[in-house]
Amino acid sequence: MSLMSLDNVRFGYGSFPTLERVSLDVLPGELVAVAGPNGAAKTTLLKLMLGLLKPWEGDVRIASRGKAGKRLVVGYVPQQLAAFNSAFPSTVLEFVRSGRHAGGAWFRRLREEDRAATELALRQVGMWEQRGRRIGVLSGGQKQRICIARALAMEPDLLALDEPTAGMDPESRAGFYALMREETKTRGRAIVMVTHELNEAYPYADRVVVLERLENGGMRCCTTTSCSGHFAPALS
Amino acid sequence: MLHYDFMQRAFCAGALLALAASSLGVYLMLRRQALMADMLSHVSLAGIAGGAYLHVNPTVAGFVVAIAGAVAVEYVRRAYRTFSEISVAIIMVGGLSSAVILMSLAGNVNKSFSSYLFGSLVAVNRTELTLMLGVAALAAVFFLVCRRALYQMTFDEETAQTSGVPVRWLSLAFSVVTGMVVAAAMPIVGVLLVSALIILPAALAIRIASGFTAALVLAMLFGLTGVWSGLAASFALSTPPGGTIALILLVFLVVGIAARKLATMLGKRRTSVREASEQPPLNEARYSNPSLSTHESGGS
């Protein structure tokens, strides 16, 4: 059962269509990399998937239930999220812990499992030691890490990441891709990741979605390539 | 001072509003809507003038129009999504121009108008105190119940929406609560200075607080201290309470920022002295997976 599906979706800004005939399914436990040149509507595609934009035509379906019949939890890290207001008065721990209140759980008190999930997420991105610091004083790369940690702390069924490795050095990027791969294979999360470093992401992805420019009037279509079998999982 | 009934009412109403307005200010500032309180106070001025013209209770009319203005600003904000401050400018122009015209039509409002503009200790009657009590209680319930969702929405609306926060409704409810607090605060601090009560305590708290909860608590503390000391000074010096409270809050802000700068400078000096005497440890954070690799424990 797919967690999210686009069926023959058409979308544009103003009267100019930017996405044409896009069909895509995202299944639990798979890592989908979305690639394409600048302005190819990769972010638009991600927002359509998440229901943040309404398509002109076609259907976007997002499952209402995730694992064990619980409400579907969606984690999203937008492209500019790490460029947040540096005056925002919040500690790293407060910020990442806020992910535990996703999926309508704003009223319940935090339990031991929430604290454990927060700690695990912060350790996964190497920011546990920084948990008491104000988020505004962190470097750009550290801000990016805590945004990802917050999404991981949600224990999402579907994780959407928009250029999550921007500003990371090659070693950190490799560690990040390995972590994402591990999240899909051991925890069954579906991850959709917009990336510019396709060569680096390719070995870890189950599928690559490439947005291509059409010849007739700058419209774009979507092609999907299966990566399964090309590379052994990097962490196996 | 406190044996006067009107001073008891002013202190009671001021405390309630200080707590509600200061916590509201933290969210308004972080949502980059600091001018919204100012705008809504000008809109409510149109309500007061309209109420006087139509022979309806001006306070109630101002209250209703402020809420309507808050709803309107929310819709205009959505139309100008990337320039949310434009919605403030548009509604403020509408409110202020309507107020000027209605004031000229309602000749009887001019006498008591200065009490609405600058605030008055004697302006708080029992009806207004009851209204403030209701508004403060509603705001307290709203901020307590929705605090986690508000945190997410304040940080980023899109991620809040994908996390399941009903951003559209929550934002609308937030605007309505803002309108209610602004309208209820007018009898004490006046239309012109209502934003001082909302923004100044929050501005200081955001600068010095270590975390979000701390910022809310500090903002309420500064607001309460500023309002009570302002009311006392206003009574002692026979000055308008709105201006006195605003001036005291401004002094708090300046002194607080200066103290913060001093503390930062002293902290930097201590750090450089320590660094000169010892080699700093390398702390390279990398992505890691505790299930795959042994990771050193980082404390509790």
Side-chain angles (χ1 to χ4, degrees), chain A residues 31-82:
Chain A
L31 202 165
V32 180
V34 179
N38 282 336
K42 301 186 290 294
T43 299
T44 300
L45 178 66
L46 208 59
K47 286 187 175 182
L48 280 164
M49 287 177 181
L50 296 169
L52 292 171
L53 294 173
K54 300 273 177 267
W56 285 359
E57 291 171 22
D59 287 325
V60 177
R61 280 188 293 274
I62 303 169
S64 57
R65 300 280 158 193
K67 274 179 288 187
K70 287 184 181 170
R71 186 174 167 170
L72 185 88
V73 178
V74 178
Y76 175 42
V77 182
Q79 200 174 355
Q80 298 299 325
L81 189 62

Side-chain angles (χ1 to χ4, degrees), chain A residues 145-187:
Chain A
R145 284 163 189 269
I146 61 164
C147 291
I148 292 164
R150 181 169 171 264
L152 288 174
M154 292 163 74
E155 299 186 316
D157 300 295
L158 174 64
L159 180 56
L161 305 160
D162 196 350
E163 296 192 23
T165 55
M168 283 186 201
D169 58 65
E171 191 186 344
S172 293
R173 286 204 295 271
F176 171 77
Y177 292 132
L179 174 62
M180 292 300 108
R181 178 83 187 174
E182 177 67 11
E183 286 290 310
T184 56
K185 299 310 157 201
T186 61
R187 297 188 175 87

Side-chain angles (χ1 to χ4, degrees), chain B residues 204-217:
Chain B
L204 178 55
I206 284 171
R207 283 296 292 265
I208 65 174
S210 57
F212 197 78
T213 310
L216 287 172
V217 172

